[in-house]
Amino acid sequence: MKLQRDIELGEPFYRQQMEETQRSSLLSHGLWIHALWFVPVLALAAIARFYGLTQTAIWCDEGSSLLMSQYSPALTWFHSAHDVHPPLYYLLLHAWMSLFGDGIFSIRAMSALPGVATVGLAFWLMRLVATPRAAVLGGILLALMPITVRYSQEVRMYSLMGLWLMGATIALVYWVRNPNHQRYLAIYALLMTASFYTHYFTCLCVLAHWFYLLMLRCKSDDKLKLITRPAWWVANLAIVALYAPWIPSLVGQLTHLDQLRVGGDVGWIPPVTLGSLPSAIWQFMTLKDGTDVWLPLYVLMPLMIAAAAAVVFLRDRSHFRFNTLLVSYTFLPVLVIFAVSFVTPLLVERYLMFAAIGLPLVLAVAIDQLERRFRVLAIGLLVAVLGLEMDGLRNNYSVDADQFDVLVNYVNQNYVAGDRIVVSDLFWYFGYVYYNKTGAEPLLYTPSLPDGGSGRPNAYGFGTLVDESADKIYVDRLQVLPKGTGRVWLVSGSYPPDDFRSIPNDWTKEKELKVGDTEVRLYSIH
């Protein structure tokens, strides 16, 4: 009875003793298979992330990743300094494509594999901080988490960022448990640095880690006042030092925010409202904002999750308060960005995917705790979460057959050497470049702005990927196109108003194909 009471109070020595006793008991009874739960969990994660990996066409952001990664490492560093994201993902993608090619399965596998590995790390983290049952449950829920599946299937940096930060959080847990072992802080510093070189929102995870250590400091045990230890400060200074080579580029990006805003790379995020926070939770769970569901349900689901997280946070009386770490990692970044977005809109769910990774883990702890006293309520919560995830996966895998690659392949098949191809916008341009097999360089339509100013991209944001070819690819007016074969392909969105403001009167439409929300038209020039 005393041992059980000490465990409930979170005494680490007795907790470790009990876990070792349980492991020995499992082995002695021939139930070693329980130690292999991570195998089906990882298999489930892999199936969810590799299923349908190639069924959606490359879109604008993915196309920009591919163009950025085609540069040499030195030029990738230069161009990413003119973009809105750091360079590490692009450098790794460059190396990946040199080894495995740029086929759609290959390039997306570079996101799917870190996504699977992150589930494995999350399972590891849960085995360190929670019960075995909660670890298995958290692993399953994360394997099926729609937003993590969705962005493990995209040629962008979000999956890689989640991998770095989950690994860094594990290193932090090991250091908290063994503060005299500085190697854990060294690993932490390296992983956090890698994440900073991957995405700027890493700073939000830093806030969560510092908040956790600050909460730990509030305990009476002087050994837990880790936030004041010199080793912790040295580790964070090491992160700054390792990141120092990129800081001038970051300052340059901040200096040129106006140019980034003109190109649409900054300033496109819509303003937040009070409903943006519950909508973000709906996006995490179902990949939809929830505004089309019954209003009481729209409010109830986020409240249910918030209540579960609050219970986990407030009932955390354990020695190391690891449940507090899980809740902080998950919710603090979201709440900070939500608050900041009332001043400068920054709330983009995919940017917060790393925080969403923690949501299934927190829910798993809540379900595990509820089951001990309120079994029916725990089962109901589990069924509700799984139901939401199944709906989200259905949304992820339900893809219209009319994809952009169908349109580009139509041009590829009907192209005649000497034809001109003009794309109406950078949004379509990058994807078109990926699928283009004609050997001709697509042109970019850059009409004057309504105020008479130039409509050409500048050298920042997406514009950095095409600005060097401005003289070759920019088309300010369709009338100036040389006749060539006498045929011009116009690629644009299919909804009014027409992206091509003025098509010359002496052009005759020969063919037209609409695919989803895009269209291509073939004109003959007289």
Side-chain angles (χ1 to χ4, degrees):
M1 293 297 294
K2 181 180 185 299
L3 177 61
Q4 184 63 35
R5 185 170 61 255
D6 288 339
I7 292 172
E8 292 175 354
L9 292 174
E11 292 296 332
F13 170 79
Y14 291 114
R15 180 185 295 273
Q16 182 179 2
Q17 187 179 58
M18 177 62 79
E19 288 179 352
E20 291 175 354
T21 302
Q22 289 174 339
R23 285 195 292 269
S24 299
S25 177
L26 288 174
L27 290 172
S28 64
H29 287 82
L31 299 179
W32 55 267
I33 192 66
H34 284 250
L36 298 179
W37 256 107
F38 73 93
V39 175
V41 168
L42 288 182
L44 182 62
I47 292 170
R49 283 151 184 77
F50 280 93
Y51 176 79
L53 190 64
T54 63
Q55 67 180 354
T56 58
I58 295 293
W59 73 291
C60 174
D61 282 12
E62 292 182 294
S64 70
S65 294
L66 295 169
L67 285 181
M68 182 77 77
S69 300
Q70 288 177 0
Y71 291 112
S72 67
L75 287 177
T76 297
W77 184 281
F78 170 81
H79 284 289
S80 58
H82 288 68
D83 190 39
V84 292
H85 296 299
L88 181 56
Y89 172 77
Y90 304 126
L91 293 170
L92 294 177
L93 183 58
H94 175 88
W96 181 273
M97 291 192 296
S98 68
L99 292 173
F100 304 108
D102 64 352
I104 190 168
F105 181 87
S106 169
I107 56 180
R108 284 186 172 157
M110 189 186 149
S111 294
L113 289 172
V116 175
T118 300
V119 175
L121 289 180
F123 187 90
W124 182 359
L125 174 64
M126 290 291 281
R127 288 296 286 117
L128 291 172
V129 305
T131 66
R133 179 173 60 182
V136 172
L137 185 57
I140 293 172
L141 294 180
L142 179 56
L144 300 174
M145 183 72 169
I147 193 170
T148 66
V149 173
R150 170 69 183 84
Y151 292 106
S152 293
Q153 297 184 321
E154 185 165 296
V155 191
R156 294 296 277 172
M157 65 286 297
Y158 313 117
S159 177
L160 186 64
M161 177 191 184
L163 179 70
W164 301 139
L165 293 181
M166 186 53 57
T169 302
I170 291 173
L172 178 64
V173 167
Y174 271 104
W175 178 67
V176 168
R177 292 173 57 169
N178 306 277
N180 293 324
H181 294 185
Q182 309 307 333
R183 63 180 180 274
Y184 299 128
L185 280 182
I187 295 171
Y188 176 84
L190 291 174
L191 290 171
M192 291 300 292
T193 302
S195 188
F196 268 113
Y197 274 106
T198 302
H199 199 283
Y200 294 127
F201 271 33
T202 297
C203 63
L204 299 170
C205 184
V206 172
L207 288 178
H209 288 166
W210 278 76
F211 175 80
Y212 161 68
L213 291 179
L214 188 62
M215 294 294 292
L216 206 58
R217 189 182 186 279
C218 294
K219 300 198 69 168
S220 58
D221 189 348
D222 289 339
K223 295 180 180 179
L224 296 180
K225 301 186 187 307
L226 301 174
I227 198 170
T228 59
R229 288 207 175 196
W232 173 248
W233 288 83
V234 168
N236 282 268
L237 288 174
I239 295 171
V240 175
L242 291 170
Y243 197 59
W246 184 251
I247 291 177
S249 299
L250 173 60
V251 173
Q253 289 172 340
L254 295 175
T255 303
H256 293 94
L257 279 177
D258 288 340
Q259 287 91 331
L260 290 166
R261 190 173 289 108
V262 167
D265 299 274
V266 173
W268 57 270
I269 305 172
V272 298
T273 65
L274 292 179
S276 298
L277 187 57
S279 288
I281 303 300
W282 276 96
Q283 286 278 8
F284 290 165
M285 300 300 299
T286 69
L287 300 179
K288 289 188 175 181
D289 62 12
T291 54
D292 58 343
V293 303
W294 185 42
L295 182 60
L297 179 59
Y298 170 77
V299 175
L300 179 62
M301 191 277 283
L303 285 178
M304 174 189 72
I305 290 177
V311 169
V312 171
F313 180 82
L314 295 174
R315 287 176 55 86
D316 187 3
R317 299 292 186 269
S318 62
H319 185 70
F320 294 118
R321 303 202 65 171
F322 285 136
N323 287 347
T324 297
L325 174 61
L326 291 178
V327 174
S328 302
Y329 177 92
T330 304
F331 291 95
L332 188 61
V334 179
L335 293 174
V336 169
I337 286 299
F338 176 64
V340 171
S341 291
F342 282 98
V343 179
T344 301
L346 292 173
L347 184 57
V348 180
E349 286 77 15
R350 61 181 180 270
Y351 292 177
L352 292 165
M353 194 201 83
F354 77 92
I357 290 170
L359 185 53
L361 311 184
V362 173
L363 290 173
V365 172
I367 293 169
D368 181 52
Q369 292 180 349
L370 280 173
E371 195 275 336
R372 300 171 190 172
R373 297 182 61 185
F374 306 100
R375 186 179 181 84
V376 174
L377 183 59
I379 293 174
L381 178 58
L382 176 60
V383 170
V385 173
L386 286 173
L388 289 167
E389 291 191 333
M390 291 301 103
D391 182 57
L393 291 177
R394 180 182 61 82
N395 293 333
N396 183 62
Y397 298 137
S398 299
V399 178
D400 195 321
D402 292 334
Q403 294 287 304
F404 187 59
D405 57 325
V406 175
L407 181 147
V408 184
N409 288 333
Y410 177 79
V411 179
N412 291 337
Q413 294 165 7
N414 293 276
Y415 175 83
V416 175
D419 285 357
R420 310 291 177 176
I421 304 170
V422 185
V423 183
S424 68
D425 190 273
L426 278 176
F427 187 85
W428 308 115
Y429 187 84
F430 296 130
Y432 194 96
V433 169
Y434 176 75
Y435 290 108
N436 177 37
K437 305 300 181 185
T438 64
E441 187 170 27
L443 306 176
L444 180 64
Y445 186 51
T446 53
S448 299
L449 299 176
D451 62 4
S454 173
R456 295 186 171 193
N458 55 50
Y460 289 88
F462 284 159
T464 190
L465 301 174
V466 293
D467 186 68
E468 291 178 347
S469 302
D471 294 337
K472 295 190 298 181
I473 69 172
Y474 289 172
V475 177
D476 297 337
R477 295 186 305 117
L478 296 178
Q479 290 84 348
V480 303
L481 283 173
K483 287 188 176 182
T485 61
R487 305 200 320 169
V488 177
W489 297 88
L490 300 183
V491 180
S492 65
S494 60
Y495 298 110
D498 193 336
D499 292 343
F500 293 99
R501 296 178 186 173
S502 177
I503 297 175
N505 294 329
D506 59 345
W507 288 20
T508 302
K509 186 189 295 183
E510 301 290 342
K511 294 181 180 182
E512 181 178 29
L513 175 67
K514 292 188 177 182
V515 178
D517 55 358
T518 57
E519 67 176 343
V520 60
R521 291 164 282 176
L522 174 63
Y523 286 88
S524 60
I525 303 176
H526 302 293

